[in-house]
Every structure is written in C-alpha cells, then in structure tokens.
Amino acid sequence: MLDLLVIMLERVGMIVAVAFILTRLEFFKNMVHQDTLNRKQEMNAILFFGFFGVIGTYFGVAFNTDTLHFNSVALELAADEAIANSRVIGVVVAGLLGGYKMGVGAGLIAGLHRMSLGGFTAISCGLSTIISGYIASAFYRKGRHVKPLAAFGIGAMAEAVQMGLILIISKPFDKALTLVQTIGIPMILANGIGAAIFLAIVYNVISDQEKTTALQAQKTLRIADQTLGHLRQGMNHATALAVCNILYRELKPSAVAMTNKTEILAHVGEASDHHQASSAIQTDVTKEVVREGRLVVVNEDAIHCIRDDCPLGAAVIAPLEQGGKTIGTLKLYYPSEKAITDVTVELISGLSSLLSNQLEIAEANRLQQLAKDAEIKMLQAQISPHFLFNSMNIIVSLIRTDPDQARKLLTSLSYFLRQNLEGTTAEKVTLEQELLHVEAYLKIEEARFVDKLTICYDVDKRILGEMIPPLTLQPIVENAIKHGIRDMEKGSVVKILMRKLKDGIEIAVQDNGRGIPSERLVELGAHQISSATGTGVGLFNVNRRLVMTFGEQAALQIRSDSTRGTNVFFTIPKREVAS
C-alpha cells in the first residue's frame, strides 16, 4: 500500500506540469477570473480537462487482483485487472472551476474512455468518474475561489465514492474488495493531494503574474506622474534630462537617452562620457526610427559607438510622436541583448506612447494658451469709433469758448487712448490704473452731459494694488451711460464701487437709469444681442475676459429694476501674498 502511494505521488509531477501549462491558456485565465466563457472557450476547457483525465488514466498503474502485481497500463485491460490512477483530478478541478457543464463534460470524456479499456471495474470506474464531476460541480461558486484544502477534501471524497461504487457494482465481490483494500487509501490520499496541489499551483502562478502586471502598471503610473510636469514644458534639453533621470531611476537600465530628430537631448547612465547631450545622432538605426516611426531592438553592432570599450551592448529605441509625426526617440540601453525581455520591450513601447501623449498635451496646452491670449488681445483692442468722433467734436467746440477745458479734455482723451493701446499688450493692470482709465473716460463724458451726470466713487484704497484684466471697467461704465441714463433730463448718477470682501474683491458699477427689460437681462453678458441701441458686445467681451482670466466665479452679475436702475458687479479673487 505504501509503495503504491509513493508511485501515485510521483505522478504529481505530471499534475504540476499540466497546471503550469494551464496558466498560459486564455480560456483558463478567463475561467479563473471571470467565470464566463464563450461557447468555443467552454468546449476547449471541457476537452482539455477531459483529456487530462484520460492522461491521468494512462499515467496510472494496472493492478492484477490474482497476482497482486502492478504493471504499466495497456490499451486494454484483462478481466482481473484494474487501474490505480489520477483520472479524477482533472474532472474534479473542471467542476470546481467551471461548474456543472465543465465538470460533467470532462467526466463524460474521461469516464467513457475508462469504460473502453475494459477490466472488471470498467463500468463502476467510468460511472464514478462522471459522478465525480457532478460532485465537484456542486461546490462551484461563481466569483469565489475554492481553497486548496477544500479541493483536497473534495478530491478525496470523489475517490472514496469511486471505491464505494467498485464494491457495489464490480463483480466478483472478492476481487473488488481486494482491489479496494489495496488501492483505496493510496488513491484517496493521492487524488486529494493532487487536486489541492493543482489548484494551489494555478492560483499562485496567476497571482504572481497579476502581481508582476500590477507592479509594472504601478511603475508606469509613477513614471507618468513624475514626467508630466516636465513634458508639459515641451521637449528640450532640460526636460529631456529630467525625464531620463526619472526613467533611469525607475527602470534601472544601463543608460537612458532622448533625442530629437538630429541631436541627443540628454543621456543618463553608463557611457555618458562619450554619449553627450547636444552631439549629433550617430547611429543610422536611430535615424531610421525617426524616419519610419517604429520601435526597434538593436545589438552592439547596430549601436555603432565611436568607442570600442563602450559598455552599451544593446538598446531598445522607440519613437516619440507629436501631431502624428515622429519628433524624436527614447533609447534605453542594456549590457546585452539577452537582458532585453518581451516584458521590457512592451514596457518601453508603452512608455514611448505615454511620453508622446504627454507631448501632445503640452502642445495642445501651448496652442490653447496662444489662442486664449490672441482672443484676449482682440477683445481688448475693440474701441468704439463713435466715442472717438464725439470726443473730438466736443474738444473742437471748446477750443474757442473754453481753451483750458479743451486742453484738459484733450489730455484725458490722450491718456484714455494710450491706456487702450497699452491694454492690448498687458495681461493685467492694477485697479488703480483701471480707475484712472475710467476717470479719463468720464471726464470726457461729463463734458458731454453738462449738469446732467454725476459720478460717485466709493473705493477702498487698500485694494488698488489688486490686478485685473485691462479695459474691464470702462465698457461697463460706458454701458451705464449709453443705455442706462441717456434719456434722463437730469439727476442721472453713476456710482463706481470697489470694496474688499472676506473671500475676494467686489467691483460694481451702479446707475439710477431706466433699468434693463427682464427678457434681455438673462442674455446680457452671456451672448451678443441685437437691439435698437446696441449689440451687447461690450459686456459680452468683458464677461469673456473675466471668465477666461479668473474662472466662472468671476462672471458678471447684473441686477436691474425699472424704478431703481441697474447694478453690474463681479468678484475677483484676492492675490496671494507670499510669506
């Protein structure tokens, strides 16, 4: 009995080999992780485990109940022979991992094959194999793994059922009893251990594969996080050096280099004494990668180093792309080609795509900023020609009647126009500068509306150093005069308010004019609108610039009442003072 147990356990080597092979098959990975297989995968799994049971039969030993000797399994058994085997292992594992279809299907294949071999236990052993698949399937739980210890118990139980069926079905009974007494315990133990080892190997290998994949993903994400801040600035000598240092530290190759189309931007690691930044690309294969945009693995002969003692024996060269065109290369060097595995190549291919995407984002951000700046400059450059003509007419009419006043207005107009021009080049100005600009404008308007317009200022002088986009306040004031108080004969008031709030700076322009119709109020500032007196483009432009500069929280707010006038206000964030 002990000799048979040793022989049976020797067959565990086959189980180990099959289990390892299984971990490489896609249908098996899906079965372990997802519990769902398509029809083809399901059929492949049934056939695989069924034939695994068949192989378990042939790897067993034939036992002669007359001579009590063990022999190799032949294609046919004598009437007094039976097989001590590991057939149940494949069937039990199929049921535990795949459920009834898998377990019973594999059991049918292995069981019918056993019946075809003959022997006085053919029927009982074949039938018990099918039942073993059913028993194991009863313990299948979708989404849950069976523990190896549980697999031992289920495998042992399935084999014990087989021993019971041999005693019940196989004739003559004395031979069946001799057989069970001889092989029963060894087979129960060996098949239980075999099922447990099979599942333990499968789970451990797949778990190790997942850990390796997770580590690679974690490393890739860490590299992405570290390199993004550098490549946002584009690809140049400084950013390439920073990225190469990160890759050299994380991946630990012999060296890392980045190039553009013509020269080495950075080289970190071994051979940096002669592979130097700003030197021209030496190898034809790098130029080929730039030209064709495909990854290559090269050996020492293809590197073409100018130094015979160069320690760099192999390299993976991947293209870096931007806008669909190759703009450079990423090169990772190794001591020899043997050090470059398939995993290494896949990782570097993914990294080149990652870095290329970051360069695409950097270029998109640059173009977006250019477009944003161009739009702001365009919006700032819009000056009403009507205001200019009206101002010149007022000054001309005052030259003879009140030369001093004409001179003051001309100075105000000059300052106003100069600030308009300077506003097209400046991103931000102080509130003080913006207020002076508005005051210059209002001096001209007050000359037009003599004894009709009163300007009030409520300004906290402590906040005049805060920054704001140029030409923001004047269009709002102009809108109040042009549309709010234009038809008033007297008593028209425009108030400019600047005050400090807890979480920002509030700026408001208030008038006591006729107000804005409610149907216009929801559109004003958000869209350009048409009306008999204007298009709303002034407030629309101001709102766009505030939102682009400070965000949606700085958008214009408008409150209007036909009896109390209009209040146009917005809030900008306070500057952070460096400590």
Side-chain angles (χ1 to χ4, degrees):
M1 183 182 295
L2 183 60
D3 291 341
L4 178 60
L5 179 60
V6 172
I7 293 172
M8 293 295 295
L9 290 177
E10 285 177 353
R11 302 304 195 264
V12 170
M14 176 200 73
I15 297 169
V16 172
V18 172
F20 186 78
I21 292 170
L22 270 177
T23 61
R24 296 294 186 269
L25 300 179
E26 194 64 32
F27 78 82
F28 189 76
K29 292 179 183 178
N30 288 342
M31 187 165 61
V32 171
H33 290 301
Q34 302 173 9
D35 294 307
T36 54
L37 301 175
N38 59 39
R39 189 180 295 274
K40 182 179 179 182
Q41 290 175 328
E42 198 172 66
M43 186 58 64
N44 287 338
I46 291 171
L47 291 173
F48 185 94
F49 284 110
F51 284 117
F52 180 34
V54 171
I55 293 171
T57 299
Y58 282 119
F59 269 74
V61 289
F63 176 70
N64 191 303
T65 54
D66 288 336
T67 64
L68 303 182
H69 289 160
F70 291 100
N71 303 301
S72 298
V73 177
L75 293 178
E76 289 188 15
L77 295 177
D80 53 1
E81 285 186 326
I83 303 173
N85 60 83
S86 57
R87 174 176 60 250
V88 167
I89 295 175
V91 177
V92 167
V93 170
L96 292 177
L97 294 179
Y100 288 104
K101 279 187 181 179
M102 208 82 68
V104 175
L108 280 169
I109 293 173
L112 291 174
H113 170 266
R114 173 62 188 91
M115 291 179 186
S116 70
L117 295 179
F120 77 98
T121 62
I123 300 298
S124 57
C125 287
L127 183 61
S128 67
T129 301
I130 300 170
I131 294 174
S132 295
Y134 188 86
I135 291 172
S137 300
F139 292 90
Y140 166 76
R141 294 294 180 272
K142 191 171 184 178
R144 294 175 60 183
H145 288 171
V146 178
K147 294 181 179 179
L149 185 60
F152 169 80
I154 295 166
M157 180 173 63
E159 196 59 51
V161 169
Q162 178 172 265
M163 295 301 117
L165 287 176
I166 289 174
L167 292 174
I168 295 171
I169 296 176
S170 299
K171 304 297 180 185
F173 179 78
D174 58 335
K175 287 187 178 182
L177 181 61
T178 301
L179 176 66
V180 171
Q181 288 175 334
T182 305
I183 71 171
I185 292 176
M187 281 188 63
I188 289 171
L189 291 175
N191 282 289
I193 292 170
I197 290 176
F198 191 103
L199 284 183
I201 290 173
V202 166
Y203 291 153
N204 285 337
V205 171
I206 291 180
S207 176
D208 288 342
Q209 291 173 349
E210 290 175 343
K211 287 177 182 176
T212 301
T213 302
L215 288 173
Q216 294 284 16
Q218 186 181 44
K219 184 179 292 185
T220 302
L221 290 172
R222 190 164 61 244
I223 290 171
D225 183 57
Q226 294 179 62
T227 56
L228 182 58
H230 299 289
L231 290 181
R232 275 179 177 167
Q233 303 168 41
M235 193 169 73
N236 52 51
H237 288 281
T239 57
L241 179 61
V243 170
C244 286
N245 276 316
I246 292 167
L247 296 180
Y248 183 71
R249 182 174 64 250
E250 293 287 345
L251 303 180
K252 296 178 174 54
S254 298
V256 183
M258 286 179 69
T259 76
N260 57 22
K261 287 184 175 182
T262 58
E263 67 174 5
I264 300 171
L265 294 176
H267 183 101
V268 175
E270 295 182 16
S272 43
D273 57 332
H274 57 281
H275 288 259
Q276 296 180 343
S278 301
S279 59
I281 295 175
Q282 301 175 20
T283 60
D284 290 335
V285 70
T286 303
K287 296 174 183 177
E288 180 182 330
V289 171
V290 172
R291 187 170 57 253
E292 298 185 7
R294 61 181 180 87
L295 181 146
V296 298
V297 179
V298 296
N299 55 24
E300 186 177 5
D301 296 332
I303 292 177
H304 294 312
C305 185
I306 58 176
R307 292 270 292 272
D308 294 333
D309 60 344
C310 181
L312 306 178
V316 181
I317 307 175
L320 295 174
E321 298 182 345
Q322 190 179 83
K325 296 180 180 179
T326 303
I327 62 167
T329 65
L330 171 67
K331 306 170 74 171
L332 275 79
Y333 292 95
Y334 295 88
S336 68
E337 210 169 352
K338 288 190 293 185
I340 302 174
T341 64
D342 291 340
V343 174
T344 303
V345 174
E346 285 298 317
L347 177 61
I348 295 171
S349 175
L351 284 174
S352 72
S353 298
L354 171 70
L355 298 180
S356 295
N357 288 336
Q358 291 182 349
L359 290 171
E360 290 276 11
I361 292 170
E363 180 64 10
N365 288 342
R366 188 183 72 84
L367 294 175
Q368 183 183 28
Q369 187 61 45
L370 287 175
K372 178 179 174 182
D373 292 343
E375 183 173 7
I376 289 176
K377 297 295 183 276
M378 179 192 71
L379 296 176
Q380 291 172 347
Q382 295 179 355
I383 304 173
S384 169
H386 298 291
F387 169 75
L388 185 58
F389 296 147
N390 291 335
S391 300
M392 294 303 296
N393 287 334
I394 294 170
I395 293 170
V396 169
S397 66
L398 289 172
I399 286 176
R400 290 186 179 179
T401 60
D402 193 346
D404 289 339
Q405 179 67 4
R407 186 164 52 251
K408 290 177 182 178
L409 290 180
L410 191 58
T411 302
S412 295
L413 179 61
S414 174
Y415 181 84
F416 175 79
L417 293 176
R418 184 166 64 251
Q419 290 298 109
N420 270 15
L421 292 174
E422 290 178 359
T424 63
T425 58
E427 290 187 6
K428 291 182 183 179
V429 296
T430 64
L431 284 179
E432 183 176 18
Q433 289 173 297
E434 187 71 2
L435 192 57
L436 290 172
H437 181 239
V438 169
E439 287 175 349
Y441 167 76
L442 287 174
K443 285 177 182 177
I444 299 169
E445 290 296 290
E446 283 179 304
R448 288 180 60 198
F449 300 97
V450 181
D451 299 328
K452 179 182 176 181
L453 174 62
T454 301
I455 307 296
C456 299
Y457 296 93
D458 184 0
V459 177
D460 185 344
K461 293 184 178 180
R462 296 174 300 173
I463 63 172
L464 290 179
E466 297 290 337
M467 306 299 288
I468 192 172
L471 312 182
T472 296
L473 201 52
Q474 185 272 330
I476 302 176
V477 174
E478 180 180 354
N479 191 75
I481 294 173
K482 185 176 180 181
H483 302 290
I485 64 173
R486 184 181 60 173
D487 297 332
M488 295 178 65
E489 294 296 330
K490 59 180 180 178
S492 56
V493 178
V494 172
K495 182 178 180 180
I496 298 172
L497 174 72
M498 295 182 182
R499 62 180 177 178
K500 185 176 182 180
L501 302 177
K502 182 178 179 180
D503 55 353
I505 306 295
E506 184 184 52
I507 300 168
V509 176
Q510 303 168 350
D511 68 70
N512 63 343
R514 61 183 178 178
I516 303 170
S518 57
E519 65 272 12
R520 292 283 186 182
L521 200 58
V522 293
E523 298 183 14
L524 201 58
H527 308 283
Q528 295 187 35
I529 58 176
S530 298
S531 70
T533 57
T535 64
V537 69
L539 293 185
F540 173 75
N541 289 347
V542 169
N543 192 52
R544 286 285 303 279
R545 289 161 55 210
L546 286 170
V547 170
M548 284 194 291
T549 304
F550 298 114
E552 290 291 338
Q553 67 273 15
L556 286 180
Q557 306 292 320
I558 304 176
R559 293 175 184 166
S560 189
D561 189 293
S562 59
T563 61
R564 291 184 293 178
T566 302
N567 181 19
V568 180
F569 63 98
F570 59 93
T571 303
I572 62 172
K574 289 184 288 189
R575 284 186 300 170
E576 294 183 2
V577 179
S579 56

